[in-house]
């Protein structure tokens, strides 16, 4: 009886984890590029409840391997595009309510932030420097096709 209860509990816990992936808007598939946008573009996408990924950057990032190269490898692998937003522009969007530093990758579903990379969190640092780790993180949230 205890085994059955334990199995049910494990199944419930697994079922409640982030198992629901979502798709980006169709225009972000089948091409791998950074699409330059402004704060106005981002705010319009939120109002329209769109699903997309934003790479926000600053010109002062000095990582051993430029993180945009890591992100681009994964973008190329799946033929997906990211919106490319300067940090100064990001400060004029809803994103800045949660994300205070750049660089970051922000995953947005139906106009809401689902996840983002935080430059101050030790557990996120490998995702900035290792394409395999970034790939695992990204694909835990989005459908790649």
């Amino acid at each position: 009886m205890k085994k059955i209860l334990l199995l049910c509990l494990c199944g419930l816990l697994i079922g409640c984890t982030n198992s629901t992936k979502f798709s980006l808007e169709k225009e972000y598939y089948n091409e791998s590029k950074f699409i330059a946008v402004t704060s106005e573009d981002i705010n319009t996408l939120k109002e329209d409840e769109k699903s997309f990924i934003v790479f926000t950057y600053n010109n002062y990032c000095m990582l051993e391997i430029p993180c945009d190269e890591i992100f681009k490898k994964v973008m190329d692998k799946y033929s997906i595009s990211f919106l490319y937003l300067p940090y100064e522009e990001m400060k004029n969007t809803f994103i800045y309510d949660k994300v205070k530093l750049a660089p970051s990758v922000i995953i947005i579903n139906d106009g809401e932030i689902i996840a983002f990379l935080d430059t101050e969190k030790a557990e996120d640092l490998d995702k900035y420097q290792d394409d395999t780790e970034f790939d695992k993180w990204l694909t835990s949230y989005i459908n790649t096709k």
Side-chain angles (χ1 to χ4, degrees):
M1 183 67 170
K2 286 182 181 181
K3 288 182 182 181
I4 293 172
L5 184 58
L6 184 59
L7 287 173
C8 289
L9 183 59
C10 287
L12 181 62
L13 289 174
I14 290 169
C16 291
T17 61
N18 185 21
S19 61
T20 306
K21 294 183 183 186
F22 66 92
S23 294
L24 305 172
E25 302 303 317
K26 65 182 178 196
E27 60 264 32
Y28 303 121
Y29 290 102
N30 301 318
E31 196 168 9
S32 171
K33 63 182 180 177
F34 287 111
I35 303 167
V37 294
T38 66
S39 57
E40 288 179 25
D41 297 324
I42 295 296
N43 291 328
T44 298
L45 290 168
K46 179 189 178 23
E47 289 172 19
D48 294 343
E49 298 182 353
K50 300 293 185 180
S51 298
F52 53 98
I53 300 170
V54 177
F55 169 47
T56 186
Y57 64 94
N58 65 44
N59 294 323
Y60 308 107
C61 180
M62 300 295 178
L63 296 171
E64 185 177 326
I65 302 169
C67 55
D68 57 332
E69 291 178 15
I70 298 298
F71 304 153
K72 187 70 167 94
K73 284 182 185 178
V74 177
M75 292 164 63
D76 290 344
K77 179 178 177 181
Y78 298 112
S79 293
I80 57 174
S81 294
F82 288 8
L83 302 181
Y84 196 60
L85 182 69
Y87 177 71
E88 290 303 316
E89 285 284 317
M90 182 193 75
K91 293 185 344 185
N92 298 319
T93 71
F94 75 99
I95 295 170
Y96 193 68
D97 294 340
K98 282 192 175 180
V99 183
K100 300 295 185 190
L101 300 172
S104 185
V105 172
I106 303 102
I107 301 173
I108 298 168
N109 185 28
D110 296 330
E112 299 298 324
I113 296 174
I114 301 302
F116 65 93
L117 294 180
D118 188 336
T119 58
E120 293 190 318
K121 286 189 177 177
E123 66 263 21
D124 283 353
L125 293 180
D126 60 338
K127 297 167 187 80
Y128 285 98
Q129 294 293 282
D130 183 319
D131 58 294
T132 302
E133 291 303 314
F134 179 68
D135 186 334
K136 282 192 264 184
W137 176 78
L138 184 68
T139 58
S140 72
Y141 294 100
I142 67 161
N143 294 316
T144 54
K145 293 186 183 195

